[in-house]
Every structure is written in structure tokens, then in C-alpha cells.
Amino acid sequence: MGSNFWRHPLIETAGYFSVVVLCLVVAMVLFEVVTKYKNWEEIKKGNIAVALATGGKILGVCNIFRYSIERHNTFFEMIGWGLYGFVLLIIAYFLFEFLTPQFNVDKEIEEDNRSVGLISFTISLGLSFVIGASII
């Protein structure tokens, strides 16, 4: 009964859900540290660009974990691949900032430049598919 209980689809789903939510909270805290603005304060003020950028990060992280859950062999491998994908998304964020020297991405998003927020959203979500597809 013991080993079958943990392999039941409802139990596995609850486990994956719980771990991914916890990892998502950690990811959002780390993104809050990386950005120069306060995500949730800006969203509360109605900043659409920040909402787009943050939403893209949330979707990106969740999408990476979706692939990780689908392709893992062990629970810890699933977490490892998910966190590795998250680190790659942070690197992509810094690359976006570096590859756009004509403006400051953080400043533009903080000032509610929705075009930059949408591009940030698209980069996070788009690269999450590339990262996810490469998870073995």
C-alpha cells in the first residue's frame, strides 16, 4: 500500500503542484531581487508593462517545470531541471538588458513602456519552450 499510495496520479499531481508552487515563489523572489523595481508594488499601481514582464516570467517558469515533470526520472531530477531552466531565464533577462544598450530595460518597464514589457513577456515565454524542449 505504501509505495502504491505515492504513485497514485492524484498524489503525484498534488506533489508536483506543491513543489512547483514553492519553486515559483522562490523564482519570483529572485526576480524581484534582479529587477530594479518592485514588481508587486508596480502591478498594484496598474503598471501594465511590469504585469506583462512578470506574467511572462511566471508562464516561463511554469512551462519549464511542465517539461521537467514530463521528462524526469526522479523527483529530484525534475526539481533540478526546473531550477536549471529558471537560471537560464535569468541569464536571458540579463542578455536582453545587455543586447539593448540604447535603452535600459528595467527603467522602461518601470515607466510602463508596454512595448518593452511585451517583448520581455515574449522572451521569457518563448525561451521557456526552447529550454523545455532541451530537457532530457
Side-chain angles (χ1 to χ4, degrees), residues 25-40 57 86 90 93-94 106:
V25 168
V26 170
M28 290 299 95
V29 167
L30 291 175
F31 274 127
E32 187 86 20
V33 170
V34 169
T35 57
K36 293 175 179 73
Y37 51 86
K38 300 295 180 201
N39 293 301
W40 303 110
K57 293 168 189 168
F86 165 70
I90 289 181
Y93 178 81
F94 285 121
D106 268 354

